[in-house]
Amino acid sequence: QVQFVESGGGLVQPGGSLRLSCAASGSIFRSYTMGWYRQAPGKQHELVASITTGGSTYYVDSVKGRFTISRDSVKNTVYLQMNSLKPEDTAVYYCHGYGFSGTWGQGTQVIVSS
């Protein structure tokens, strides 16, 4: 059973923007804080941003002021708006329920390069 489907990645120049989307299964979406994670080559898996069921948000310092996480409870979808992208944002981005132990999705590749 597919529980997370990420989309919206691509190749973008430094300073550009992308909007990632993650369609999640309804039971997970309604129950869990949702997070966007990323993994860059040679680096650890990192929580980038999260949003609680009540709408409270968290951002890792490196993306504060540039990324915005949001959730649509009708569509069971979590978004990550990424602005002012930097080469160091290059990674595969995943969404997942925070503390959820189930299977991860395929992720979506973001490449920031000129």
Side-chain angles (χ1 to χ4, degrees), residues 24-75:
S25 67
S27 59
I28 297 171
F29 186 90
R30 286 188 293 272
S31 302
Y32 283 85
T33 291
M34 295 298 298
W36 279 100
Y37 300 77
R38 66 185 178 188
Q39 183 145 33
K43 294 188 177 180
Q44 288 189 334
H45 202 237
E46 174 184 44
L47 174 63
V48 175
S50 65
I51 184 166
T52 68
T53 54
S56 297
T57 58
Y58 158 84
Y59 299 95
V60 70
D61 285 348
S62 59
V63 308
K64 283 180 181 176
R66 300 188 298 121
F67 290 11
T68 302
I69 189 170
S70 60
R71 60 194 294 161
D72 184 329
S73 298
V74 174
K75 297 180 179 179

